[in-house]
């Protein structure tokens, strides 16, 4: 149980376009979802926390207008990178938690974004 | 505030020898502590966690960790390394309450040679 999926696993987009990444909890209701960014050979940096039905809380230094987060249901959160630039290229990982997971975070497999 | 220091960026061992990955934490409260493993281009998998119960925690794949409050440490060990253990390992800390966020260390790459 407690499986989290992400789609797509890899995406390449052109500079200036927007790209949407989905995070789904497949077998539990996720009251909270998290979005992380991981640069090569570095740790995970929390970008934002989203609670279902509420606006996301962004970490300091993360542009909320550039990284749009929507958590419209208890099983789906989306991250949209708007007007992407090459410096946005990174590995994006989501995690989800809920009552059934005893509020422990379960991580998705990640999405590799490359902006050309 | 909370933070995690993973003392080694890389650890190399031979297959069949013991593994020790070091983690020290800093927090102003009694923390929850976690070890995660990440294989290339994959998400994180929880190995084990400490949440104020037994100080010696056993996890999956033969890993265990011991919480030592006096040393503010939570080192990860395994008696005998397998080739499949080669991966990146992250130590993380959070507040003990269920609604807390995780703070990760910078990771330790474990290399296992035949």
């Amino acid at each position: 149980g407690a499986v989290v999926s992400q789609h797509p696993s890899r995406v390449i987009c052109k500079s200036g376009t927007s790209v949407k990444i989905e995070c789904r909890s497949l077998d539990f209701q996720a009251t909270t979802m998290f979005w992380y960014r991981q640069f090569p050979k570095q740790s995970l940096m929390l970008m934002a926390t989203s609670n279902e039905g509420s606006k996301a809380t962004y970490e300091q230094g993360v542009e909320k207008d550039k990284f749009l987060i929507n958590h419209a249901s208890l099983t789906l959160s989306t991250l949209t990178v708007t007007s992407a630039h090459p410096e946005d290229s990174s590995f994006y990982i989501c995690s989800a938690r809920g009552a059934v997971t005893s509020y422990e975070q379960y991580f998705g497999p990640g999405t590799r974004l490359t902006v050309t | 505030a909370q933070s995690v220091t993973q003392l080694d960026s890389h650890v190399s061992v031979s297959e069949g020898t013991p593994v020790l990955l070091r983690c020290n934490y800093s927090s102003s409260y009694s923390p929850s502590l976690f070890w995660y493993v990440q294989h290339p281009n994959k998400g994180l998998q929880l190995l084990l966690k400490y949440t104020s119960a037994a100080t010696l925690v056993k996890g999956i794949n033969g890993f265990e960790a011991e919480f030592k409050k006096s040393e503010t440490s939570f080192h990860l060990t395994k008696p005998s390394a397998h080739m499949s253990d080669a991966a990146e390992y992250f130590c993380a800390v959070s507040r003990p309450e269920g609604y807390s966020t995780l703070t990760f260390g910078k990771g330790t790459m474990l290399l296992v040679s035949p």
Side-chain angles (χ1 to χ4, degrees):
Chain A
V3 178
V4 177
S5 70
Q6 279 184 244
H7 177 79
S9 58
R10 291 177 176 270
V11 59
I12 300 172
C13 70
K14 293 188 175 180
S15 187
T17 62
S18 295
V19 61
K20 181 184 287 187
I21 302 170
E22 293 185 349
C23 177
R24 293 182 184 273
S25 57
L26 298 184
D27 51 2
F28 68 100
Q29 293 185 328
T31 50
T32 306
M33 287 184 167
F34 303 86
W35 287 95
Y36 295 85
R37 184 173 180 176
Q38 185 180 30
F39 290 103
K41 301 188 186 302
Q42 294 190 30
S43 188
L44 281 74
M45 300 300 295
L46 180 64
M47 299 174 66
T49 302
S50 73
N51 293 300
E52 185 267 337
S54 303
K55 287 186 177 180
T57 301
Y58 289 80
E59 295 299 301
Q60 191 173 7
V62 178
E63 299 176 61
K64 59 183 66 177
D65 293 332
K66 180 168 188 61
F67 298 100
L68 302 178
I69 292 172
N70 183 279
H71 190 171
S73 78
L74 284 170
T75 60
L76 174 64
S77 176
T78 60
L79 167 67
T80 301
V81 183
T82 63
S83 187
H85 291 283
E87 57 265 31
D88 299 325
S89 299
S90 193
F91 195 53
Y92 293 88
I93 302 176
C94 74
S95 70
R97 71 180 181 199
V100 73
T101 71
S102 299
Y103 301 104
E104 177 183 309
Q105 292 184 40
Y106 282 79
F107 287 81
T111 296
R112 172 74 61 193
L113 170 62
T114 303
V115 184
T116 60
Chain B
Q2 56 192 23
S3 66
V4 171
T5 301
Q6 291 184 243
L7 297 158
D8 306 296
S9 59
H10 292 80
V11 169
S12 295
V13 301
S14 298
E15 191 174 21
T17 64
V19 175
L20 170 64
L21 305 182
R22 298 184 291 169
C23 172
N24 286 92
Y25 69 92
S26 173
S27 86
S28 53
Y29 42 80
S30 294
S32 292
L33 292 158
F34 306 78
W35 274 100
Y36 290 87
V37 61
Q38 183 182 33
H39 291 276
N41 294 309
K42 301 292 185 183
L44 273 67
Q45 180 183 20
L46 180 67
L47 284 176
L48 49 80
K49 63 181 178 181
Y50 165 77
T51 55
S52 78
T55 56
L56 181 62
V57 181
K58 294 186 184 297
I60 62 172
N61 301 337
F63 285 95
E64 63 181 41
E66 186 171 8
F67 173 70
K68 292 187 176 180
K69 185 175 180 179
S70 61
E71 299 176 9
T72 62
S73 69
F74 189 58
H75 301 334
L76 182 70
T77 61
K78 182 173 180 177
S80 176
H82 292 183
M83 295 296 292
S84 59
D85 294 328
E88 186 93 30
Y89 291 79
F90 292 97
C91 182
V93 64
S94 77
R95 298 182 67 92
E97 299 87 9
Y99 289 89
S100 303
T101 58
L102 290 166
T103 299
F104 286 89
K106 292 188 175 182
T108 298
M109 176 64 73
L110 176 64
L111 305 170
V112 183
S113 56

